[in-house]
Amino acid sequence: MSTDIPHRELTHRVAGFVADAITPIAAAMARGHGPSPKRIVESAGEAGLAGLLTPEAFGGAGGNHGDFIQFIETVARADASSAVILDVHLSVGTEPLLVFGNDDQKSRYLRRLASGEWLAAFALTEAAGGSDAVALRTRAAREGETYVLDGAKAFITGAGDADLYIVMARTGDGAHGVSAFLVEAAWPGVSTGPPLAKMGLHGSWTGELVLDGVRVPAANRLGDEGFGFTVAMSALDSGRVGISAQAVGIAQGALDAAVEPSRRRRDAGSEVDADAIADMEARTAAARQLTRYAAALVDAGRRVTHDAAIAKLYSTDTCVAVAQSAVDLCAPESGAEDHPAAVRFRDAKACQIYEGTNQIQRVVIARHLLRD
Ligand code: COS
């Protein structure tokens, strides 16, 4: 996929956005007292970044996935909560509409998402099914030109603040009995639970989405009936590249937090664990290259299931390991809740879990090798 935005201009725009809009709120976000997810996306819209992957014809910046991962890594280096909000909005929240939406759907929704006026969310997971996405139970019963949706989605990023949900619901049996729908938050029967109190990523809202007899026009079905599992899986293939970029940013932020205190200790005549710092740098650099490779495959129009799983697995394991090393190197100060290494350590763990746990990534990678 080509890019409409010159790379140098994007780098400048992203750096300005992070310096002006993210770094000043990072500490508040880490405590869960920052601006709402919608406000983060609005401020990205003001900087021309809320529609980074959306073509200019629909009000976006027309960037590619190389631009996207640079954006997400740079934001995550400063604040992982803001990064996951923006990542979900841009990738699994908007990309399925870009890839599978018809002209009518694109013209009704893309401009509002690309300007940051609306926040997008992706609703696949259910409490009972967990990683077994095919087991979803939310039903979509067809009544003429309408589908009636009933069910509940769990652990949804942006729930409670999002304006548009991409909802996977059952219209038949098995993987080919799932359909995807564009569901507006304001429609009767749509409600959300309170944000979960999470271990980390305190500035990002995660919660339940309840669909109680929600009447969705057939015009809001995304792709053909029965095509929803493919919509979801291909959204996650690309989304996992974004999570990989987020993990690289968290690892880099943890490394940043550890280097300066280590330098001060060395200058004061104490020993520093230079091997640990070298390993942190090497692993972060390797994770960044895997992420870039996967993003380049997406931009080349190649199926990225295998390489996105590798990037996501390696980068997110790396960010947990690097953040843990940062806590060790910065001890005892890093025992404080607000210490930047402690914040990264808490934020890192979720990356191994969402958009497919790392156990699922291993399933995807091994299946590719062991297939007949
Ligand atoms: N792209 C396109 N199609 C895909 C796909 C992909 N990445 N992965 C699977 N499919 C298709 C398969 O080709 C299959 O279609 P056919 O029957 O026509 O061959 C269908 O979808 C079912 O796939 P599969 O048989 O592999 O389903 P499984 O139930 O065995 O498991 C996994 C699929 C484990 C990969 C899936 O359930 C998964 O990714 N789970 C994790 C979900 C997740 O990431 N949740 C987080 C949500 S966001 S926080």
Side-chain angles (χ1 to χ4, degrees):
M1 192 190 287
S2 67
T3 182
D4 295 342
I5 181 170
H7 189 70
R8 199 184 300 247
E9 189 203 320
L10 180 93
T11 304
H12 186 69
R13 200 187 290 184
V14 167
F17 170 69
V18 172
D20 297 343
I22 301 298
T23 303
I25 59 163
M29 290 295 275
R31 286 195 298 270
H33 298 143
S36 70
K38 202 162 156 175
R39 181 61 206 131
I40 299 295
V41 168
E42 271 170 9
S43 64
E46 287 155 14
L49 292 164
L52 183 54
L53 289 167
T54 301
E56 288 180 320
F58 290 105
N64 65 17
H65 290 78
D67 302 324
F68 165 64
I69 58 165
Q70 183 195 337
F71 177 42
I72 298 301
E73 179 189 333
T74 308
V75 174
R77 183 176 182 174
D79 174 42
S81 293
S82 298
V84 71
I85 292 165
L86 291 165
D87 174 74
V88 168
H89 175 76
L90 286 167
S91 69
V92 290
T94 300
E95 236 185 314
L97 188 49
L98 290 172
V99 176
F100 299 104
N102 58 34
D103 289 346
D104 164 56
Q105 292 165 342
K106 288 180 181 176
S107 64
R108 280 190 287 132
Y109 293 116
L110 279 178
R111 280 185 182 281
R112 282 186 277 193
L113 299 175
S115 67
E117 184 193 341
W118 272 27
L119 174 68
F122 178 80
L124 170 68
T125 304
E126 299 185 2
S131 289
D132 186 6
V134 176
L136 68 86
R137 289 184 192 160
T138 295
R139 300 209 68 84
R142 183 132 193 183
E143 287 183 9
E145 280 311 292
T146 304
Y147 288 87
V148 181
L149 267 60
D150 283 287
K153 300 287 179 178
F155 308 108
I156 305 305
T157 301
D161 214 21
D163 301 280
L164 185 70
Y165 294 89
I166 297 179
V167 176
M168 267 50 69
R170 189 155 288 299
T171 45
D173 297 328
H176 298 285
V178 174
S179 301
F181 299 91
L182 297 161
V183 177
E184 296 187 20
W187 286 347
V190 178
S191 63
T192 53
L196 287 171
K198 301 195 297 293
M199 167 174 44
L201 297 173
H202 294 146
S204 161
W205 298 10
T206 309
E208 190 185 26
L209 170 71
V210 179
L211 302 148
D212 183 8
V214 180
R215 300 188 74 81
V216 179
N220 273 37
R221 194 188 62 227
L222 193 54
D224 290 340
E225 190 169 293
F227 196 62
F229 198 69
T230 303
V231 171
M233 290 297 117
S234 62
L236 285 169
D237 283 350
S238 173
R240 287 166 186 166
V241 182
I243 299 303
S244 186
Q246 190 199 6
V248 173
I250 293 173
Q252 187 62 56
L255 189 53
D256 297 342
V259 167
E260 192 49 41
S262 298
R263 205 180 274 138
R264 280 201 302 273
R265 283 185 194 186
R266 183 208 51 200
D267 292 348
S270 300
E271 279 209 27
V272 297
D273 190 346
D275 286 356
I277 291 177
D279 284 344
M280 292 159 77
E281 167 77 352
R283 287 195 67 173
T284 303
R288 183 176 292 116
Q289 293 307 324
L290 284 172
T291 309
R292 285 184 181 162
Y293 178 64
L297 290 181
V298 180
D299 286 332
R302 302 265 298 277
R303 183 163 170 175
V304 77
T305 307
H306 182 66
D307 294 282
I310 292 174
K312 200 262 185 195
L313 172 64
Y314 186 82
S315 300
T316 63
D317 282 355
T318 292
C319 79
V320 170
V322 169
Q324 182 169 345
S325 295
V327 170
D328 291 340
L329 288 169
C330 297
E333 287 82 358
S334 53
E337 208 179 359
D338 284 350
H339 191 282
V343 171
R344 265 65 181 198
F345 186 52
R346 286 196 303 272
D347 289 348
K349 184 63 195 174
C351 298
Q352 290 177 315
I353 298 170
Y354 51 36
E355 297 211 13
T357 64
N358 281 5
Q359 289 81 358
I360 288 290
Q361 307 313 316
R362 291 185 178 89
V363 168
V364 171
I365 295 163
R367 270 188 190 176
H368 181 78
L369 296 174
L370 301 175
R371 73 189 165 185
D372 293 331

